[in-house]
Amino acid sequence: EYHPSTTLQKIINAGLQVFSEKGYYNTTTAEIAQIAGVSTGIVYNYFKDKKDILFRLLQYSLYEESSNDQNDIGEDALFKYPWFEHYFVEEDREAYFIRDRKAENLLGFVMVNAYLQKNADGRSIAEFMVLPRFRRNKIGKEAAVMCFKKHRGNWEVSPAYGSSQAYLFWKNVIDEYTGGNYHYEDGI
């Protein structure tokens, strides 16, 4: 029996499982389909490709930030993000899904790159979003720390412009992770 909402959830969960085990670049749509127990064609009924999932999450995040950063939607009803495609062709950019370990539900995403404003080398949190109902229960903190540990060294984090909640979140995470040994300058 075919249930679209159940099938979609199976595909998302399978994608998250394979992405977390093999990474985005080493995952194929066929592997996602196999784990979800559906054909590759069914996966394409829901998503053009695996980056479509990330794009949808990014749009939600840009919408949330738009009240503070004055980012407007275009005529296509989408927020502009000129670097999105670069995450799939440049080695200095990476994207990760944040998911629940038990149920493997999609909880958010992180986009990391090596394009820094203050340091000569290191990494930057370019985009970071945890779905609202999962905030304030250490999921974001855990995801941030996993990124910091994966790429040890200098980090630049620029909280969402005008968001006191984002600023406090990052201040607390960074303060705890570094033991207070960090530098804050010009919003970074």
Side-chain angles (χ1 to χ4, degrees):
E1 192 171 326
Y2 178 71
H3 296 285
S5 62
T6 305
T7 302
L8 176 60
Q9 192 60 51
K10 284 181 183 178
I11 294 167
I12 291 171
N13 289 343
L16 292 171
Q17 178 184 335
V18 182
F19 289 151
S20 68
E21 291 171 1
K22 298 179 74 176
Y24 179 86
Y25 290 106
N26 296 322
T27 298
T28 66
T29 305
E31 290 169 320
I32 293 170
Q34 181 181 10
I35 289 176
V38 299
S39 70
T40 304
I42 292 292
V43 173
Y44 289 122
N45 284 342
Y46 291 95
F47 302 101
K48 289 188 309 188
D49 52 32
K50 61 186 178 180
K51 70 182 176 183
D52 190 32
I53 298 169
L54 181 63
F55 185 75
R56 289 182 194 191
L57 286 170
L58 177 63
Q59 286 296 306
Y60 178 79
S61 179
L62 295 172
Y63 163 76
E64 266 198 330
E65 295 173 7
S66 69
S67 64
N68 293 318
D69 68 11
Q70 308 307 312
N71 189 6
D72 293 322
I73 60 173
E75 290 297 317
D76 57 0
L78 297 173
F79 289 96
K80 303 297 181 225
Y81 194 83
W83 310 278
F84 183 73
E85 292 298 326
H86 298 262
Y87 279 86
F88 306 97
V89 295
E90 295 178 13
E91 290 182 18
D92 287 342
R93 296 179 192 265
E94 299 173 23
Y96 305 98
F97 290 114
I98 301 170
R99 65 181 180 85
D100 179 295
R101 288 187 186 151
K102 295 174 188 164
E104 298 188 7
N105 294 326
L106 186 60
L107 307 179
F109 72 98
V110 183
M111 295 170 78
V112 174
N113 66 46
Y115 300 94
L116 307 173
Q117 298 177 42
K118 303 288 182 184
N119 292 298
D121 66 337
R123 296 282 178 179
S124 171
I125 300 283
E127 301 295 336
F128 187 95
M129 193 269 300
V130 174
L131 294 170
R133 76 180 193 144
F134 299 108
R135 294 177 186 165
R136 302 197 191 290
N137 59 13
K138 301 187 182 185
I139 290 169
K141 175 185 169 188
E142 192 175 310
V145 168
M146 287 175 76
C147 288
F148 296 158
K149 287 182 176 179
K150 180 174 173 105
H151 298 285
R152 297 202 182 264
N154 293 323
W155 277 89
E156 291 184 359
V157 177
S158 192
Y161 177 79
S163 172
S164 58
Q165 287 181 327
Y167 171 80
L168 289 173
F169 167 79
W170 284 109
K171 181 184 180 313
N172 291 333
V173 168
I174 293 168
D175 188 54
E176 185 175 324
Y177 182 74
T178 65
N181 185 20
Y182 65 93
H183 179 72
Y184 182 76
E185 176 184 344
D186 300 327
I188 298 174

